Amino acid sequence: MSKPTKKPSAQDAYYAPGHTMKDFFRSLFIGHGASTQDRVHVRDAIEVKRTMTLVALCLLPAILFGIYNTGLQAQIAMLAGSAPLDNWHQGVYNAIFGGLTESTGIFGLMAYGLIYYLPIYLTALVTTMFWEMVFARARRQEMQEGFFVTALLFSLCLPANISLWLVVMGISFGVVVAKELFGGMGYNFLNPALAGLAFIYFAYPSEVTTSAQLVAVDGYSSATTLAQVAANKMKFAEYPWYHAFNDAAWWDAFLGFEVGAIGETSALAIFAGGLLLILTRLADWRIVVGVLIGAIATSLLFNVFGDGKNAMAAMPWTWHLVTGGFALGMMFMATDPVTTAYTRPGKLMFGILVGAMTILIRVANVKQPEGIMLAILFANLWAPVLDSLVARFNIKRRLKRNGL
């Protein structure tokens, strides 16, 4: 029995070569003669899956260094007197590698960091995937690959010793409340990873913001650079911004050899991935430049006119750039194409607002010195207003130019 042939649609028949010379030339000109002679308007090689894959590749330097630094900081803390944690992570590591010692090399340190980071990321990924499936089924839509990067960014902002139930709570809030309730991917006006992070920071501050969560050992009590500055334990009196380049402590912060959230410590690794993000046009350089302008201008104003007793006000912009989550927020969070402004001047103003608000929060609220998370969420709310202002200005300018 012969297989039935599919009847050609009207569109296929229209573009078909036909059986006569007249039909052939008609299809030739219709099918190939209408190609654009100018720049193409659609980049058909980019889709959500490829975009998310590229973003993940750009995050790879920060991920790998974060995993290594998690093991390194635990090794340094143990050599200083801290004890290993009594949990299943430590049991698995001891069973395979025999424990973390002074002689543990780079691969052993990376394995130590991986044993702590991988459960955090997998928990965030599975939770995000679950909510994506629930809402995709309810809306009868296909699942989008955005959850892959959301889970990645969220996990990089967390301390290594965080409880996994907090990961579930945070990413659930971010995905459900900040994204899915507003229509899903492309319709959210807040960054879901940052919204989830803000939720657990304010709902469970004692579980997230303590220094004991930053290093995967028992009894760790040292503070991050930002926390030391906020507590006036690290001062910058008569410290011009360019002195940072001759300061070994600044270079440690720039390279990432300090305690902090898993993926936020190495500004160098983040800038390397962020540069690739800009070169591939997945991130707009105007936002990054805007954040730098806003942060540098605001920090210089505080350096000159700020309260001399507030060490955060005296902190130069070169230190703001390499401490806390500033670099990760600037390169990967603020440049989220969905939640930022859409017009070019709007993107620049959006970036300036993020940079200025970050420094303002750090100086004014020393109890929560990590300011870029709130600054980006605040700027997300203002992004439509900035686009509206730009559109109104363009309309008035064109009306005036044409004498109308």
Side-chain angles (χ1 to χ4, degrees), residues 205-266:
S206 61
E207 301 285 344
V208 182
T209 59
T210 57
S211 58
Q213 306 294 325
L214 295 172
V215 181
V217 295
D218 189 18
Y220 185 80
S221 59
S222 297
T224 62
T225 302
L226 270 181
Q228 292 181 44
V229 177
N232 280 334
K233 295 180 179 178
M234 187 174 176
K235 298 184 179 180
F236 294 94
E238 299 181 359
Y239 189 104
W241 63 269
Y242 49 84
H243 277 194
F245 302 122
N246 296 322
D247 190 339
W250 184 88
W251 281 104
D252 282 344
F254 177 71
L255 296 174
F257 297 109
E258 62 175 3
V259 296
I262 297 172
E264 294 182 349
T265 57
S266 177

Side-chain angles (χ1 to χ4, degrees), residues 189-192 194 333-334 336 339-340 350 353-354 375-384:
F189 62 92
L190 292 176
N191 186 304
L194 285 179
M333 302 289 198
D336 179 3
T339 56
T340 185
F350 177 88
L353 184 60
V354 170
I376 294 174
L377 291 174
F378 179 80
N380 288 158
L381 299 175
W382 279 85

Side-chain angles (χ1 to χ4, degrees), residues 277-348:
L277 203 65
I278 292 174
L279 291 176
T280 54
R281 297 184 180 182
L282 295 179
D284 197 298
W285 61 269
R286 295 170 187 83
I287 299 174
V288 177
V289 171
V291 175
L292 288 174
I293 292 174
I296 292 172
T298 310
S299 61
L300 288 176
L301 285 174
F302 276 114
N303 292 163
V304 175
F305 301 106
D307 183 3
K309 297 180 181 179
N310 187 342
M312 195 66 80
M315 189 173 175
W317 64 267
T318 40
W319 272 95
H320 280 293
L321 197 64
V322 299
T323 50
F326 190 95
L328 188 67
M330 178 178 68
M331 302 304 297
F332 288 93
M333 302 289 198
T335 54
D336 179 3
V338 176
T339 56
T340 185
Y342 286 87
T343 58
R344 291 176 178 175
K347 291 177 187 293
L348 189 61

